[in-house]
Amino acid sequence: MSFRNFPMVPRVVFGRGSFNQLEEILESKRTNEKSPFIFLVDDVFKGKESLISRIPLNQKDQVIYISADEEPKTVYVDAIRDDIVKQFSDVPSGIIGIGGGTLLDYAKAVALMLTNPGSSADYQGWDLVKNPAVYHVGIPTISGTGAEVSRTTVLTGPERKLGMNSDYTPFDQVVLDPELLDGVPKNQWFYTGMDCYIHCIESLTGTYLNAFSQSYGEKSLDLCREVYLEKDEIDEDSQDKLMMASWHGGMSIAYSQVGVAHAMSYGLSYLLGTKHGVGNCIVFDQLEEFYPEGVKEFKEMVVKHGIDIPKGLCKDLTDEQFDTMIDVALSLVPLWENALGADWQKTITREKLRSMYEKM
């Protein structure tokens, strides 16, 4: 029997104010004077000197602002890569992503595409990437997606929403500074944190579950419950705990998988552009059949924090649009196998998915 030999993030620094160590971290990684560090930064920070002024820019280093309003797309990854290649004769010393899951996914994808030919759409799938990425660093400013620790970078391409899953995807360095979570809007804090919570429910109830995944998933779930069931506000303690819940949640699916909510939310995202965190919440809210205890607890969290889960997204869709969402969802075979086992297709038919989407 052959076991998967998964890579992990080799270096991580955690602590309030640890962002200030970024210059020290990057110093030894600069390859030469012509090879810049490229900082991909969520454009919500544009003009916010409290963060931008602390980015250690030297020589030809560059900040590229990217909107996180849309999910990451292969066409945007390719465009960023092409712009960098045009500007600089040498391959960058590294790519640093600063932001939420969208920015972290962009950083991983661009780092990969600077060393691999063609379009990022060519690498959507499992273990299609052939060459190591350039040095890349992840610095989350919102917690929950687990993108800082995962071996995938989830992208919407011309034909599908699917990650570039590879051993070369994980960051070389992650900086976990809970201070960077200050000012996150409450809805976004909730939706992104619920991505982590749902990761754990799907992992811990899945057929792929093993002791490795369980140990991380249970700890992450405990932390999520502390943050979203026991606390009424976003204080420093909850920021610290949510950042670690995200880390552990990402680790919990490294050796297992997610499930029904993620498979269906990919369909929503591909067709409607629904953001990943809120998409997971929209779907999970309707999944009592598959995750009764998890959905009950989720609904308690929604009420406690006064969050409105959007409804009616699918009420005016055409048959063709439903078919597109269903095609995307059904293509995610490992997620369905984890959720329901090898015979999942006996339960999940096109008609079943259509009726589920009609409730959302």
Side-chain angles (χ1 to χ4, degrees):
M1 184 175 180
S2 178
F3 294 95
R4 295 302 302 269
N5 189 12
F6 284 121
M8 295 186 185
V9 174
R11 301 188 78 84
V12 57
V13 57
F14 171 85
R16 306 188 75 82
S18 58
F19 183 82
N20 294 331
Q21 287 178 227
L22 188 56
E23 184 168 18
E24 175 190 334
I25 288 167
L26 297 180
E27 191 175 351
S28 64
K29 300 298 180 181
R30 190 181 298 278
T31 51
N32 64 64
E33 292 182 1
K34 295 181 180 178
S35 297
F37 282 111
I38 307 294
F39 296 84
L40 305 183
V41 181
D42 189 325
D43 70 358
V44 74
F45 293 110
K46 198 169 188 177
K48 294 188 177 178
E49 289 302 307
S50 58
L51 175 73
I52 301 306
S53 64
R54 295 161 63 198
I55 295 176
L57 297 174
N58 292 298
Q59 300 166 43
K60 295 179 179 290
D61 296 348
Q62 187 175 98
V63 172
I64 298 175
Y65 292 103
I66 298 175
S67 171
D69 289 343
E70 294 184 55
E71 294 284 281
K73 290 183 168 58
T74 56
V75 64
Y76 297 157
V77 171
D78 296 348
I80 296 166
R81 182 269 317 271
D82 292 345
D83 285 346
I84 292 171
V85 170
K86 282 179 189 173
Q87 282 192 64
F88 302 101
S89 55
D90 287 35
V91 175
S93 295
I95 302 292
I96 296 90
I98 303 175
T102 293
L103 268 294
L104 300 183
D105 279 345
Y106 271 123
K108 289 190 282 190
V110 171
L112 287 167
M113 293 313 302
L114 285 165
T115 55
N116 288 277
S119 168
S120 51
D122 300 334
Y123 302 97
Q124 286 182 280
W126 281 266
D127 301 304
L128 301 175
V129 178
K130 303 303 180 189
N131 301 316
V134 300
Y135 177 77
H136 50 307
V137 179
I139 306 176
T141 61
I142 185 169
S143 288
T145 68
E148 64 274 18
V149 71
S150 76
R151 73 185 294 272
T152 188
T153 168
V154 182
L155 303 174
T156 300
E159 298 179 6
R160 60 181 74 87
K161 179 181 176 182
L162 187 62
M164 297 168 68
N165 294 271
S166 85
D167 283 355
Y168 301 124
T169 306
F171 286 111
D172 298 295
Q173 170 80 56
V174 169
V175 177
L176 298 176
D177 183 347
E179 285 184 358
L180 299 181
L181 305 186
D182 284 345
V184 173
K186 188 171 185 180
N187 270 18
Q188 191 177 4
W189 164 81
F190 186 86
Y191 295 142
T192 310
M194 286 302 101
D195 187 16
C196 179
Y197 175 79
I198 294 166
H199 275 163
C200 297
I201 297 296
E202 291 178 315
S203 174
L204 291 169
T205 58
T207 64
Y208 288 7
L209 185 64
N210 52 70
F212 183 98
S213 299
Q214 187 173 0
S215 63
Y216 284 104
E218 287 178 346
K219 184 59 184 176
S220 180
L221 193 58
D222 287 345
L223 290 167
C224 285
R225 286 169 172 157
E226 286 185 46
V227 171
Y228 290 102
L229 286 176
E230 296 178 16
K231 290 184 175 291
D232 297 316
E233 58 183 19
I234 312 171
D235 58 13
E236 288 188 2
D237 182 61
S238 65
Q239 289 174 338
D240 293 0
K241 286 177 176 174
L242 186 57
M243 188 159 264
M244 292 318 301
S246 180
W247 182 270
H248 283 76
M251 288 297 296
S252 76
I253 57 172
Y255 232 102
S256 62
Q257 258 299 351
V258 285
V260 179
H262 276 74
M264 294 190 69
S265 77
Y266 274 33
L268 285 177
S269 176
Y270 181 82
L271 180 72
L272 303 175
T274 309
K275 291 284 288 180
H276 183 67
V278 67
N280 280 341
C281 288
I282 291 167
V283 176
F284 197 69
D285 198 41
Q286 304 295 332
L287 295 185
E288 290 97 337
E289 176 183 352
F290 301 97
Y291 308 107
E293 294 303 316
V295 173
K296 179 184 176 186
E297 193 168 64
F298 167 78
K299 289 178 182 291
E300 290 175 16
M301 296 175 182
V302 170
V303 171
K304 180 176 177 62
H305 293 284
I307 304 296
D308 291 323
I309 304 299
K311 291 181 169 56
L313 272 73
C314 301
K315 62 181 171 58
D316 296 321
L317 297 184
T318 64
D319 290 343
E320 183 180 3
Q321 288 175 313
F322 274 114
D323 283 340
T324 297
M325 286 198 303
I326 290 165
D327 287 342
V328 170
L330 288 175
S331 71
L332 297 158
V333 174
L335 281 64
W336 294 110
E337 284 187 348
N338 178 52
L340 301 169
D343 295 331
W344 63 272
Q345 287 171 306
K346 293 179 179 177
T347 303
I348 301 300
T349 62
R350 298 187 70 85
E351 293 73 26
K352 174 75 168 176
L353 278 179
R354 168 83 182 238
S355 69
M356 292 166 69
Y357 273 127
E358 286 174 345
K359 297 176 183 176
M360 298 173 190

